[in-house]
Each structure stands twice: as C-alpha cells, then as structure tokens.
Amino acid sequence: MGRSSLTSGGKGLSFPFPSDSRCGARLARTGAEVRQVFHSGTQTLIDRWVALPRVGGLPARADLEPMRFGSLVPQLFSADRTARGATFRLAGAWIEALHGRRMAGVAMLDLWAPDSHALVHAALGQAVREARPVVMVAEADPLHGLLEIVIAPLRTSDGRTDRLIGLYQPVLKQERLREPIGPLTARVSMGVGVSNRPALALAAVDGRRIA
C-alpha cells in the first residue's frame, strides 16, 4: 500500500492506494479508502520506472530502454524540466500526429489551455521535487474520452534531476484523427506512490532552482 496525492482546483489531497491499479483513469471508492485506477498503458510506464535501480531517489536515464515498451513507443516522450515548465526533447509518432507538429523543442505549456497552466506547472514540479510519477488527466477536442499523461523524473549522466520520461495514453480507443487536437484542458493531477525527495540542489537550471 502506497500513498498518492491529488491536485484539483488548487487544493491538494493525500490518500492510500493499492499498487495493482491497472485500467481506466478514475478514482474508485472501496469503503473508506480511495484508490487510483489507471489505464494499463499508463500503469506500464509507472511500473517500469518503479522497477529501475536508483541513486538518491531517482533512476538514471541510461537504465531506461524505451524500445522495451513495444507498442507503446509511439506514445512516449522525453522532456527537459525548465523554469517555465518543460521542453520536449523527443516524442513518438502518435504524439506528433496528435498535435500535428514535430515536438522537439516545443514548450509543454504551449499545448495546454491557459487556465490549465498552473496545474500543469505544479505537476511538473511535483514529479521532480518528490521523485515520483505524476499523472495528469486531460481533455481535448476532438478526442473521445480522457487522455492520461504520465510524467516521471530521471537522473542524467552528470547527476542533474531535470530529465522527464512521459507517455500519452487515451483511455478510449481513438479513431484516426483528420486534424490535430485543440489545446489540452487539465482536469486533475495525481502523484503516484511514496514521495522520495532528492537533494533540491540538483533540481536547477542555469543556477536557478526550479523544483
């Protein structure tokens, strides 16, 4: 049994959850306990990240092998944490088709509606600060249903903690989109597992602390 935090409308909550959650982004109530239930694709990234060896609370980027994600590779992305939020380094073909552009160098906040910026920025900071995955649940036209976007922090070869691995996971099967989606709208973000905070001195960009 771990603990999770949830952010919605600027308020934070913390609650226990079992580690075997698998399909569909929702919160299920069993007696007095609330548990997280994610899509199996989202849970796959979380489980792979948790299984990696780590030093100082974070696994190393070199220990993550993206091709081992198989059919989920087109939905993967990597990003660098920045003072403004995060910037994409690479993104799979499904993500680039979804947004209708090459993603390298794109600022993550540019993909979100302005009223979602505060929640997304907080989620990015939480992942690095607490050294654990965070799941954001979003909507966008013309997607069917919700979109789970999971981010998890990694340590680079020189010891920095500003690298992120992430995955886009639509909850419902999508038809081929004829045009890019509109801005993402964040509904909720959830920290997954137990906070394992690394040294804050490492969470900096150009000498400026970002988490």
Side-chain angles (χ1 to χ4, degrees), residues 109-145:
L109 288 184
D110 290 348
L111 306 175
W112 296 81
D115 59 0
S116 295
H117 286 188
L119 187 148
V120 175
H121 193 277
L124 293 166
Q126 180 185 6
V128 175
R129 183 177 64 253
E130 299 181 0
R132 60 172 169 166
V134 173
V135 179
M136 296 177 285
V137 180
E139 294 177 321
D141 291 330
L143 281 180
H144 301 295

mmCIF file of all heavy atoms in Angstrom, residues 109-145:
data_model
loop_
_atom_site.group_PDB
_atom_site.id
_atom_site.type_symbol
_atom_site.label_atom_id
_atom_site.label_comp_id
_atom_site.label_asym_id
_atom_site.label_seq_id
_atom_site.Cartn_x
_atom_site.Cartn_y
_atom_site.Cartn_z
ATOM 1 N N LEU A 109 3.881 23.789 -21.950
ATOM 2 C CA LEU A 109 2.729 24.628 -21.616
ATOM 3 C C LEU A 109 2.035 25.177 -22.856
ATOM 4 O O LEU A 109 0.850 25.523 -22.803
ATOM 5 C CB LEU A 109 3.144 25.776 -20.699
ATOM 6 C CG LEU A 109 3.493 25.419 -19.253
ATOM 7 C CD1 LEU A 109 3.776 26.693 -18.461
ATOM 8 C CD2 LEU A 109 2.374 24.620 -18.582
ATOM 9 N N ASP A 110 2.752 25.265 -23.994
ATOM 10 C CA ASP A 110 2.141 25.769 -25.219
ATOM 11 C C ASP A 110 1.030 24.855 -25.735
ATOM 12 O O ASP A 110 0.219 25.275 -26.574
ATOM 13 C CB ASP A 110 3.197 25.940 -26.316
ATOM 14 C CG ASP A 110 4.144 27.091 -26.030
ATOM 15 O OD1 ASP A 110 3.862 27.891 -25.116
ATOM 16 O OD2 ASP A 110 5.185 27.175 -26.715
ATOM 17 N N LEU A 111 0.991 23.619 -25.250
ATOM 18 C CA LEU A 111 -0.012 22.658 -25.700
ATOM 19 C C LEU A 111 -1.288 22.717 -24.867
ATOM 20 O O LEU A 111 -2.280 22.072 -25.215
ATOM 21 C CB LEU A 111 0.551 21.237 -25.640
ATOM 22 C CG LEU A 111 1.877 21.003 -26.377
ATOM 23 C CD1 LEU A 111 2.365 19.587 -26.108
ATOM 24 C CD2 LEU A 111 1.718 21.252 -27.870
ATOM 25 N N TRP A 112 -1.270 23.476 -23.791
ATOM 26 C CA TRP A 112 -2.377 23.487 -22.836
ATOM 27 C C TRP A 112 -3.112 24.818 -22.867
ATOM 28 O O TRP A 112 -2.533 25.872 -23.119
ATOM 29 C CB TRP A 112 -1.851 23.234 -21.420
ATOM 30 C CG TRP A 112 -1.234 21.893 -21.236
ATOM 31 C CD1 TRP A 112 0.037 21.512 -21.592
ATOM 32 C CD2 TRP A 112 -1.849 20.731 -20.674
ATOM 33 N NE1 TRP A 112 0.252 20.187 -21.275
ATOM 34 C CE2 TRP A 112 -0.894 19.681 -20.708
ATOM 35 C CE3 TRP A 112 -3.106 20.489 -20.128
ATOM 36 C CZ2 TRP A 112 -1.166 18.406 -20.228
ATOM 37 C CZ3 TRP A 112 -3.383 19.216 -19.644
ATOM 38 C CH2 TRP A 112 -2.430 18.189 -19.698
ATOM 39 N N ALA A 113 -4.417 24.758 -22.570
ATOM 40 C CA ALA A 113 -5.209 25.970 -22.440
ATOM 41 C C ALA A 113 -4.647 26.820 -21.295
ATOM 42 O O ALA A 113 -4.149 26.272 -20.309
ATOM 43 C CB ALA A 113 -6.669 25.613 -22.171
ATOM 44 N N PRO A 114 -4.704 28.137 -21.418
ATOM 45 C CA PRO A 114 -4.118 28.999 -20.384
ATOM 46 C C PRO A 114 -4.588 28.704 -18.971
ATOM 47 O O PRO A 114 -3.791 28.779 -18.026
ATOM 48 C CB PRO A 114 -4.546 30.405 -20.832
ATOM 49 C CG PRO A 114 -4.659 30.297 -22.318
ATOM 50 C CD PRO A 114 -5.217 28.921 -22.563
ATOM 51 N N ASP A 115 -5.865 28.352 -18.790
ATOM 52 C CA ASP A 115 -6.341 28.108 -17.424
ATOM 53 C C ASP A 115 -5.869 26.774 -16.856
ATOM 54 O O ASP A 115 -6.140 26.457 -15.696
ATOM 55 C CB ASP A 115 -7.870 28.200 -17.340
ATOM 56 C CG ASP A 115 -8.583 27.206 -18.249
ATOM 57 O OD1 ASP A 115 -7.896 26.437 -18.953
ATOM 58 O OD2 ASP A 115 -9.823 27.204 -18.259
ATOM 59 N N SER A 116 -5.122 25.992 -17.656
ATOM 60 C CA SER A 116 -4.533 24.737 -17.178
ATOM 61 C C SER A 116 -3.059 24.893 -16.817
ATOM 62 O O SER A 116 -2.451 23.972 -16.272
ATOM 63 C CB SER A 116 -4.679 23.635 -18.238
ATOM 64 O OG SER A 116 -6.039 23.308 -18.454
ATOM 65 N N HIS A 117 -2.462 26.039 -17.146
ATOM 66 C CA HIS A 117 -1.017 26.203 -16.968
ATOM 67 C C HIS A 117 -0.574 26.009 -15.520
ATOM 68 O O HIS A 117 0.455 25.382 -15.260
ATOM 69 C CB HIS A 117 -0.584 27.577 -17.468
ATOM 70 C CG HIS A 117 -0.559 27.684 -18.957
ATOM 71 N ND1 HIS A 117 -0.053 28.775 -19.626
ATOM 72 C CD2 HIS A 117 -0.991 26.820 -19.916
ATOM 73 C CE1 HIS A 117 -0.160 28.582 -20.932
ATOM 74 N NE2 HIS A 117 -0.732 27.412 -21.135
ATOM 75 N N ALA A 118 -1.334 26.545 -14.566
ATOM 76 C CA ALA A 118 -0.913 26.449 -13.165
ATOM 77 C C ALA A 118 -0.883 24.997 -12.704
ATOM 78 O O ALA A 118 0.064 24.571 -12.024
ATOM 79 C CB ALA A 118 -1.851 27.265 -12.276
ATOM 80 N N LEU A 119 -1.894 24.209 -13.069
ATOM 81 C CA LEU A 119 -1.935 22.808 -12.648
ATOM 82 C C LEU A 119 -0.805 22.020 -13.299
ATOM 83 O O LEU A 119 -0.139 21.211 -12.638
ATOM 84 C CB LEU A 119 -3.294 22.191 -12.991
ATOM 85 C CG LEU A 119 -3.551 20.767 -12.468
ATOM 86 C CD1 LEU A 119 -5.033 20.568 -12.165
ATOM 87 C CD2 LEU A 119 -3.095 19.707 -13.465
ATOM 88 N N VAL A 120 -0.563 22.242 -14.592
ATOM 89 C CA VAL A 120 0.487 21.501 -15.299
ATOM 90 C C VAL A 120 1.863 21.867 -14.746
ATOM 91 O O VAL A 120 2.706 20.993 -14.509
ATOM 92 C CB VAL A 120 0.404 21.772 -16.811
ATOM 93 C CG1 VAL A 120 1.570 21.105 -17.542
ATOM 94 C CG2 VAL A 120 -0.922 21.277 -17.372
ATOM 95 N N HIS A 121 2.101 23.155 -14.527
ATOM 96 C CA HIS A 121 3.384 23.590 -13.976
ATOM 97 C C HIS A 121 3.614 22.975 -12.599
ATOM 98 O O HIS A 121 4.723 22.524 -12.275
ATOM 99 C CB HIS A 121 3.416 25.117 -13.890
ATOM 100 C CG HIS A 121 4.777 25.677 -13.640
ATOM 101 N ND1 HIS A 121 5.326 25.772 -12.372
ATOM 102 C CD2 HIS A 121 5.732 26.167 -14.492
ATOM 103 C CE1 HIS A 121 6.532 26.286 -12.453
ATOM 104 N NE2 HIS A 121 6.809 26.534 -13.720
ATOM 105 N N ALA A 122 2.565 22.930 -11.785
ATOM 106 C CA ALA A 122 2.682 22.325 -10.456
ATOM 107 C C ALA A 122 2.968 20.830 -10.548
ATOM 108 O O ALA A 122 3.755 20.284 -9.771
ATOM 109 C CB ALA A 122 1.406 22.569 -9.654
ATOM 110 N N ALA A 123 2.334 20.147 -11.512
ATOM 111 C CA ALA A 123 2.549 18.707 -11.676
ATOM 112 C C ALA A 123 3.991 18.410 -12.090
ATOM 113 O O ALA A 123 4.618 17.466 -11.591
ATOM 114 C CB ALA A 123 1.575 18.150 -12.712
ATOM 115 N N LEU A 124 4.536 19.215 -13.004
ATOM 116 C CA LEU A 124 5.924 19.035 -13.427
ATOM 117 C C LEU A 124 6.881 19.223 -12.255
ATOM 118 O O LEU A 124 7.821 18.448 -12.065
ATOM 119 C CB LEU A 124 6.259 20.020 -14.543
ATOM 120 C CG LEU A 124 5.524 19.799 -15.875
ATOM 121 C CD1 LEU A 124 5.688 21.030 -16.767
ATOM 122 C CD2 LEU A 124 6.035 18.560 -16.575
ATOM 123 N N GLY A 125 6.634 20.260 -11.468
ATOM 124 C CA GLY A 125 7.476 20.495 -10.305
ATOM 125 C C GLY A 125 7.358 19.402 -9.271
ATOM 126 O O GLY A 125 8.352 19.002 -8.656
ATOM 127 N N GLN A 126 6.146 18.884 -9.077
ATOM 128 C CA GLN A 126 5.938 17.825 -8.090
ATOM 129 C C GLN A 126 6.705 16.565 -8.456
ATOM 130 O O GLN A 126 7.305 15.910 -7.596
ATOM 131 C CB GLN A 126 4.449 17.505 -7.974
ATOM 132 C CG GLN A 126 4.141 16.412 -6.959
ATOM 133 C CD GLN A 126 2.668 16.027 -6.935
ATOM 134 O OE1 GLN A 126 1.875 16.508 -7.760
ATOM 135 N NE2 GLN A 126 2.290 15.179 -6.003
ATOM 136 N N ALA A 127 6.706 16.190 -9.739
ATOM 137 C CA ALA A 127 7.395 14.975 -10.168
ATOM 138 C C ALA A 127 8.880 15.037 -9.829
ATOM 139 O O ALA A 127 9.455 14.069 -9.317
ATOM 140 C CB ALA A 127 7.200 14.762 -11.665
ATOM 141 N N VAL A 128 9.508 16.197 -10.078
ATOM 142 C CA VAL A 128 10.940 16.345 -9.794
ATOM 143 C C VAL A 128 11.185 16.493 -8.301
ATOM 144 O O VAL A 128 12.077 15.865 -7.725
ATOM 145 C CB VAL A 128 11.508 17.561 -10.563
ATOM 146 C CG1 VAL A 128 12.963 17.799 -10.182
ATOM 147 C CG2 VAL A 128 11.379 17.343 -12.065
ATOM 148 N N ARG A 129 10.391 17.327 -7.654
ATOM 149 C CA ARG A 129 10.606 17.621 -6.231
ATOM 150 C C ARG A 129 10.405 16.394 -5.355
ATOM 151 O O ARG A 129 11.159 16.152 -4.410
ATOM 152 C CB ARG A 129 9.643 18.732 -5.803
ATOM 153 C CG ARG A 129 9.801 19.198 -4.362
ATOM 154 C CD ARG A 129 8.848 20.341 -4.052
ATOM 155 N NE ARG A 129 7.446 19.944 -4.150
ATOM 156 C CZ ARG A 129 6.628 20.307 -5.117
ATOM 157 N NH1 ARG A 129 7.059 21.069 -6.120
ATOM 158 N NH2 ARG A 129 5.372 19.914 -5.129
ATOM 159 N N GLU A 130 9.378 15.579 -5.676
ATOM 160 C CA GLU A 130 9.037 14.425 -4.843
ATOM 161 C C GLU A 130 9.593 13.125 -5.396
ATOM 162 O O GLU A 130 9.394 12.066 -4.793
ATOM 163 C CB GLU A 130 7.526 14.338 -4.677
ATOM 164 C CG GLU A 130 6.939 15.579 -3.983
ATOM 165 C CD GLU A 130 5.435 15.484 -3.796
ATOM 166 O OE1 GLU A 130 4.825 14.466 -4.203
ATOM 167 O OE2 GLU A 130 4.864 16.438 -3.236
ATOM 168 N N ALA A 131 10.271 13.185 -6.553
ATOM 169 C CA ALA A 131 10.902 11.999 -7.151
ATOM 170 C C ALA A 131 9.924 10.846 -7.297
ATOM 171 O O ALA A 131 10.171 9.731 -6.834
ATOM 172 C CB ALA A 131 12.115 11.564 -6.321
ATOM 173 N N ARG A 132 8.818 11.110 -7.966
ATOM 174 C CA ARG A 132 7.827 10.072 -8.225
ATOM 175 C C ARG A 132 6.997 10.442 -9.456
ATOM 176 O O ARG A 132 6.962 11.612 -9.856
ATOM 177 C CB ARG A 132 6.918 9.874 -7.026
ATOM 178 C CG ARG A 132 6.123 11.102 -6.606
ATOM 179 C CD ARG A 132 5.118 10.720 -5.546
ATOM 180 N NE ARG A 132 4.497 11.866 -4.900
ATOM 181 C CZ ARG A 132 3.408 11.770 -4.144
ATOM 182 N NH1 ARG A 132 2.833 10.601 -3.958
ATOM 183 N NH2 ARG A 132 2.891 12.847 -3.579
ATOM 184 N N PRO A 133 6.330 9.469 -10.078
ATOM 185 C CA PRO A 133 5.485 9.774 -11.227
ATOM 186 C C PRO A 133 4.287 10.629 -10.836
ATOM 187 O O PRO A 133 3.787 10.557 -9.707
ATOM 188 C CB PRO A 133 5.037 8.389 -11.712
ATOM 189 C CG PRO A 133 6.015 7.424 -11.126
ATOM 190 C CD PRO A 133 6.413 8.021 -9.812
ATOM 191 N N VAL A 134 3.844 11.438 -11.777
ATOM 192 C CA VAL A 134 2.617 12.215 -11.634
ATOM 193 C C VAL A 134 1.776 11.986 -12.887
ATOM 194 O O VAL A 134 2.300 12.009 -14.007
ATOM 195 C CB VAL A 134 2.915 13.714 -11.459
ATOM 196 C CG1 VAL A 134 1.632 14.541 -11.495
ATOM 197 C CG2 VAL A 134 3.651 13.963 -10.143
ATOM 198 N N VAL A 135 0.485 11.747 -12.702
ATOM 199 C CA VAL A 135 -0.439 11.535 -13.814
ATOM 200 C C VAL A 135 -1.363 12.735 -13.916
ATOM 201 O O VAL A 135 -2.024 13.102 -12.942
ATOM 202 C CB VAL A 135 -1.268 10.249 -13.637
ATOM 203 C CG1 VAL A 135 -2.245 10.084 -14.804
ATOM 204 C CG2 VAL A 135 -0.356 9.029 -13.533
ATOM 205 N N MET A 136 -1.403 13.337 -15.101
ATOM 206 C CA MET A 136 -2.362 14.388 -15.390
ATOM 207 C C MET A 136 -3.475 13.810 -16.264
ATOM 208 O O MET A 136 -3.199 13.048 -17.194
ATOM 209 C CB MET A 136 -1.689 15.556 -16.105
ATOM 210 C CG MET A 136 -0.631 16.267 -15.277
ATOM 211 S SD MET A 136 0.212 17.594 -16.185
ATOM 212 C CE MET A 136 1.279 16.627 -17.272
ATOM 213 N N VAL A 137 -4.699 14.168 -15.962
ATOM 214 C CA VAL A 137 -5.853 13.721 -16.748
ATOM 215 C C VAL A 137 -6.380 14.931 -17.496
ATOM 216 O O VAL A 137 -6.639 15.986 -16.902
ATOM 217 C CB VAL A 137 -6.942 13.118 -15.845
ATOM 218 C CG1 VAL A 137 -8.131 12.669 -16.683
ATOM 219 C CG2 VAL A 137 -6.383 11.936 -15.059
ATOM 220 N N ALA A 138 -6.519 14.780 -18.834
ATOM 221 C CA ALA A 138 -6.852 15.921 -19.683
ATOM 222 C C ALA A 138 -7.946 15.575 -20.680
ATOM 223 O O ALA A 138 -8.259 14.404 -20.917
ATOM 224 C CB ALA A 138 -5.607 16.400 -20.422
ATOM 225 N N GLU A 139 -8.489 16.623 -21.262
ATOM 226 C CA GLU A 139 -9.437 16.510 -22.368
ATOM 227 C C GLU A 139 -8.978 17.422 -23.492
ATOM 228 O O GLU A 139 -8.264 18.400 -23.255
ATOM 229 C CB GLU A 139 -10.843 16.918 -21.932
ATOM 230 C CG GLU A 139 -11.481 16.016 -20.901
ATOM 231 C CD GLU A 139 -12.846 16.517 -20.470
ATOM 232 O OE1 GLU A 139 -13.004 17.751 -20.319
ATOM 233 O OE2 GLU A 139 -13.746 15.672 -20.283
ATOM 234 N N ALA A 140 -9.395 17.097 -24.724
ATOM 235 C CA ALA A 140 -9.116 17.961 -25.868
ATOM 236 C C ALA A 140 -10.036 17.560 -27.017
ATOM 237 O O ALA A 140 -10.254 16.367 -27.253
ATOM 238 C CB ALA A 140 -7.660 17.849 -26.303
ATOM 239 N N ASP A 141 -10.554 18.521 -27.716
ATOM 240 C CA ASP A 141 -11.345 18.235 -28.930
ATOM 241 C C ASP A 141 -10.391 17.941 -30.080
ATOM 242 O O ASP A 141 -9.348 18.607 -30.220
ATOM 243 C CB ASP A 141 -12.208 19.450 -29.287
ATOM 244 C CG ASP A 141 -13.337 19.682 -28.281
ATOM 245 O OD1 ASP A 141 -13.809 18.682 -27.703
ATOM 246 O OD2 ASP A 141 -13.710 20.846 -28.094
ATOM 247 N N PRO A 142 -10.703 16.933 -30.941
ATOM 248 C CA PRO A 142 -11.880 16.081 -30.926
ATOM 249 C C PRO A 142 -11.632 14.686 -30.345
ATOM 250 O O PRO A 142 -12.214 13.707 -30.820
ATOM 251 C CB PRO A 142 -12.189 15.981 -32.415
ATOM 252 C CG PRO A 142 -10.815 15.936 -33.059
ATOM 253 C CD PRO A 142 -9.929 16.793 -32.185
ATOM 254 N N LEU A 143 -10.779 14.545 -29.347
ATOM 255 C CA LEU A 143 -10.535 13.240 -28.731
ATOM 256 C C LEU A 143 -11.812 12.690 -28.108
ATOM 257 O O LEU A 143 -12.632 13.442 -27.585
ATOM 258 C CB LEU A 143 -9.464 13.349 -27.643
ATOM 259 C CG LEU A 143 -7.996 13.409 -28.060
ATOM 260 C CD1 LEU A 143 -7.131 13.503 -26.816
ATOM 261 C CD2 LEU A 143 -7.614 12.191 -28.880
ATOM 262 N N HIS A 144 -11.926 11.366 -28.141
ATOM 263 C CA HIS A 144 -13.020 10.695 -27.444
ATOM 264 C C HIS A 144 -12.536 10.316 -26.050
ATOM 265 O O HIS A 144 -11.561 9.599 -25.904
ATOM 266 C CB HIS A 144 -13.463 9.431 -28.194
ATOM 267 C CG HIS A 144 -13.931 9.696 -29.590
ATOM 268 N ND1 HIS A 144 -15.045 10.436 -29.873
ATOM 269 C CD2 HIS A 144 -13.403 9.340 -30.788
ATOM 270 C CE1 HIS A 144 -15.212 10.509 -31.183
ATOM 271 N NE2 HIS A 144 -14.215 9.854 -31.760
ATOM 272 N N GLY A 145 -13.207 10.814 -25.033
ATOM 273 C CA GLY A 145 -12.845 10.445 -23.676
ATOM 274 C C GLY A 145 -11.623 11.196 -23.181
ATOM 275 O O GLY A 145 -11.160 12.166 -23.776
#
